[in-house]
Amino acid sequence: MAESQSATLSPTEVQSVELQDTDAQTHVSSSKSSKEPIKLDIEHAVVEDDPRIWSNVKKAQYIIQNVVLFIISGASMIAGLCANIQNPANAQIEQQLHTSSGDISLSLSLFILIQGNFPIIWSAISEIKGRKMVYLCSVALFALGSAIVAVSRTIGLLIGMRILQGVGSSAVIAIGAATLADIYEPHQRGTMMGVYYSAPLLGPSLGPIIGGALTQGLGWRAIFWFLVIWGGIIFSAFLFLFKDTFRKERSTTYQNVLKRRLREQQSSEAKDEPRKISEEESQVNDEKQTNSKDVGAQTSSKDIEGQPMVIPASAIREVKLSIADVNPFPPYLSIVSRKNNFAILIPSGLIFAFSNGVAYTCARTLSMHYNYDALKTGLVLLAFGIAGSILGGRWSDRTLARLKAANGGSSFPEMRLESTKVAMVWLPLSVIGYAWVCQEQVNVAAICVMLFLAGFLSIWIYTSTLAYIVDANTGRSSTAVATNSSFRGLFASIAVEIAVPLQDSIGDGGLYTLWAGLLVIADCLILLVLHKGRKWREASAEREKQKLDAE
């Protein structure tokens, strides 16, 4: 929203301030000389120092945006590393801290659960303090937790500080994707989401390699000192190289607060109007001045909605949000209550849970049946997912551009899901293939091939669903991604807890045949959103607008 130099707004101008949350991805060219109000969708609200056009020089803008992408990708790698880097050291930790394997498993499951659900809190805080402050605080907590784990002498302290690590590493999960939404246009996001999401996927692959090497050479505490160093590097990058991308004018939370303040001011002025009119009439009757104002003209229209409103420019420029304004749970429920969101969050959670389950059980299979050490296991797991994230994101953007052109230049978020159809056909088949090459203990090369295909296809779909969640929740992207994180954290923690008992009872063949069936259900839900999502989304948006207007 452009900052006005005038303190007086007419109702028409107020209407132009109250930006409409529409689905059209339309760029609006403004003209300062025009007297007509310009309605912008909140995605393209005019803001000061727009992150999407930080420089008029295209090359400089490209460099700035890629620096931001590089920093948040490096930060997001923390989330993937933390969940897996400890695995090679579990035996040594169990021995030195005189604990049990159950306590070690508890430290992992609690970490995943907290990491998945705390982003809702970080998302709310980012609406008050901006992205940069949240990044700095969260990474500092992560580094602190890692340092205390490194010097822990009891399993209780280790578990507690692993929880603190989960809190600190979770922020980038929610607002990392929101930061990309701040700086990239919708038609670019699929590719950038793919690049961004490939970083945390390196964690499950590189975690065992790094953890195994450090444990073998220096002991298990070196793992967490490594994480302290990594956290320090990321903290410094955010502090010195990162420029805050959050703009309140493009936040639905901010816009709703502004609208509420405007209505409160209208109501207050409506109550004061009769008293002001009475005082003016009394003054006219007493003084009998010929140059007095025409009271009749003033009182001819008593509809406050039709009167000019005096709104201080500072009230528009500096709307201060409180904790009550950004209570994370109503927005969370608002996201989940939309049918299209709920239907897409389930497959997103299932696919993420599958990815974590594969990384966990594959390492166990390679260790038990192939006698692979941590380094060899990590090299095999490296086949999982990197290409799928990047190439899937590019395919998603190309599909969106093609469908947008065929639709006369306009687009809607569900178009992006068209790009997943090819991957949805082959994903369950590749998972079944992986299941039975592991079950039959064939040559490890076959496991690598099937692992690559399953990872490539699953992450291709996940990248597109994540981009859809951002696009379909304009103005509330950080809350939407935090909700997605909550779903995937819950699903993944359950998947990790039940993976080993199922693997022991029905084997890899039965376990991943079951997973193939769950992924078929996920595919069906994505197709449902593809065909019904737009109708559901528009109906929900209209219902929320009517509820807001009625307040």
Side-chain angles (χ1 to χ4, degrees):
M1 178 176 57
E3 293 184 352
S4 173
Q5 299 300 318
S6 173
T8 302
L9 295 181
S10 68
T12 308
E13 289 169 325
V14 171
Q15 186 179 12
S16 69
V17 169
E18 295 182 345
L19 305 175
Q20 303 300 312
D21 185 5
T22 63
D23 297 314
Q25 308 295 342
T26 307
H27 293 277
V28 181
S29 59
S30 61
S31 173
K32 293 183 179 179
S33 61
S34 174
K35 297 182 180 180
E36 294 297 323
I38 300 174
K39 290 185 179 181
L40 303 173
D41 64 282
I42 196 170
E43 185 74 65
H44 298 98
V46 179
V47 297
E48 185 179 348
D49 192 21
D50 192 338
R52 295 179 190 161
I53 50 172
W54 262 330
S55 173
N56 292 325
V57 182
K58 187 174 182 180
K59 183 177 180 180
Q61 179 183 348
Y62 177 83
I63 293 173
I64 293 172
Q65 290 177 335
N66 278 276
V67 167
V68 173
L69 177 62
F70 177 78
I71 294 172
I72 64 171
S73 296
S76 69
M77 190 181 294
I78 290 174
L81 276 174
C82 280
N84 295 274
I85 198 170
Q86 176 186 317
N87 289 339
N90 283 340
Q92 194 177 105
I93 294 173
E94 186 175 342
Q95 180 182 12
Q96 292 189 9
L97 297 186
H98 309 290
T99 186
S100 65
S101 58
D103 290 333
I104 299 295
S105 298
L106 181 63
S107 70
L108 177 60
S109 61
L110 286 177
F111 174 86
I112 294 174
L113 188 63
I114 295 298
Q115 187 188 64
N117 286 276
F118 208 84
I120 298 172
I121 308 299
W122 288 125
S123 174
I125 297 173
S126 74
E127 296 285 348
I128 303 175
K129 299 298 184 181
R131 316 283 194 221
K132 184 170 183 175
M133 182 61 69
V134 169
Y135 282 134
L136 290 173
C137 292
S138 63
V139 175
L141 286 176
F142 166 78
L144 176 63
S146 299
I148 297 177
V149 170
V151 298
S152 295
R153 299 296 177 184
T154 64
I155 188 61
L157 181 60
L158 185 145
I159 292 174
M161 291 303 101
R162 286 287 280 167
I163 291 174
L164 184 61
Q165 277 188 314
V167 171
S169 63
S170 65
V172 72
I173 296 174
I175 62 176
T179 301
L180 297 186
D182 293 339
I183 64 176
Y184 290 108
E185 294 289 350
H187 66 276
Q188 300 173 302
R189 289 177 191 161
T191 299
M192 300 310 164
M193 289 290 181
V195 174
Y196 158 70
Y197 189 61
S198 67
L201 286 174
L202 283 171
S205 301
L206 296 180
I209 299 174
I210 298 172
L214 289 173
T215 301
Q216 185 174 347
L218 301 171
W220 69 269
R221 298 181 189 277
I223 291 175
F224 297 98
W225 287 122
F226 167 80
L227 292 178
V228 172
I229 295 170
W230 184 255
I233 293 171
I234 297 301
F235 182 88
S236 300
F238 277 124
L239 182 62
F240 297 111
L241 301 178
F242 182 79
K243 188 175 181 180
D244 204 337
T245 63
F246 177 71
R247 298 295 179 268
K248 60 188 178 183
E249 293 87 347
R250 288 176 178 162
S251 166
T252 299
T253 301
Y254 167 80
Q255 292 298 326
N256 289 340
V257 172
L258 177 58
K259 291 176 184 179
R260 186 168 65 250
R261 304 269 173 92
L262 291 173
R263 287 196 299 270
E264 289 171 357
Q265 183 168 349
Q266 287 177 340
S267 177
S268 176
E269 290 181 358
K271 293 177 181 179
D272 292 342
E273 188 69 14
R275 181 179 58 81
K276 291 180 180 179
I277 293 175
S278 177
E279 291 175 355
E280 291 173 358
E281 286 177 340
S282 177
Q283 181 181 0
V284 169
N285 291 332
D286 292 341
E287 297 179 0
K288 302 294 185 180
Q289 295 180 354
T290 56
N291 61 345
S292 64
K293 296 180 180 179
D294 185 355
V295 177
Q298 284 195 8
T299 59
S300 60
S301 175
K302 296 185 179 180
D303 181 9
I304 191 62
E305 296 292 339
Q307 299 285 341
M309 291 170 46
V310 178
I311 302 175
S314 59
I316 297 173
R317 294 173 186 166
E318 297 297 334
V319 174
K320 299 294 185 181
L321 302 185
S322 65
I323 294 297
D325 293 323
V326 295
N327 182 350
F329 298 105
Y332 177 90
L333 295 176
S334 177
I335 295 293
V336 174
S337 66
R338 288 190 173 193
K339 291 182 181 179
N340 65 301
N341 286 338
F342 187 74
I344 205 68
L345 287 169
I346 292 174
S348 177
L350 285 173
I351 292 171
F352 186 80
F354 165 74
S355 299
N356 277 266
V358 165
Y360 189 52
T361 60
C362 184
R364 192 165 181 262
T365 297
L366 293 172
S367 175
M368 291 172 57
H369 302 301
Y370 293 84
N371 296 318
Y372 272 29
D373 59 23
L375 292 177
K376 290 182 179 179
T377 298
L379 291 173
V380 172
L381 291 176
L382 195 61
F384 188 82
I386 301 171
S389 183
I390 298 173
L391 298 181
R394 286 189 175 275
W395 181 261
S396 176
D397 280 346
R398 291 186 64 179
T399 301
L400 179 63
R402 175 174 55 82
L403 293 175
K404 181 178 179 180
N407 197 40
S410 64
S411 66
F412 49 90
E414 287 72 24
M415 283 183 176
R416 187 178 294 281
L417 298 178
E418 284 281 351
S419 65
T420 64
K421 286 183 174 179
V422 175
M424 283 192 289
V425 173
W426 295 103
L427 176 58
L429 297 177
S430 66
V431 173
I432 291 174
Y434 170 78
W436 292 100
V437 296
C438 287
Q439 181 71 24
E440 299 300 322
Q441 300 177 26
V442 300
N443 189 283
V444 73
I447 294 180
C448 289
V449 170
M450 301 313 299
L451 194 65
F452 171 81
L453 290 175
F456 175 84
L457 296 168
S458 63
I459 298 161
W460 176 343
I461 297 172
Y462 183 83
T463 300
S464 295
T465 59
L466 181 60
Y468 170 78
I469 289 168
V470 172
D471 292 347
N473 293 277
T474 308
R476 58 182 79 181
S477 56
S478 62
T479 303
V481 176
T483 305
N484 178 65
S485 175
S486 177
F487 269 66
R488 75 179 198 176
L490 178 62
F491 282 43
S493 61
I494 294 173
V496 169
E497 284 294 324
I498 67 175
V500 171
L502 286 175
Q503 189 180 32
D504 289 340
S505 60
I506 60 177
D508 283 315
L511 173 60
Y512 286 99
T513 300
L514 177 62
W515 263 116
L518 292 174
L519 292 173
V520 168
I521 295 174
D523 290 348
C524 292
L525 287 171
I526 294 173
L527 291 174
L528 183 63
V529 174
L530 177 61
H531 293 288
K532 296 285 188 179
R534 185 178 185 182
K535 180 180 177 181
W536 289 343
R537 180 169 44 80
E538 291 175 348
S540 298
E542 181 62 27
R543 184 168 58 252
E544 290 171 5
K545 182 177 181 297
Q546 291 175 355
K547 182 179 178 181
L548 184 64
D549 291 341
E551 292 178 353

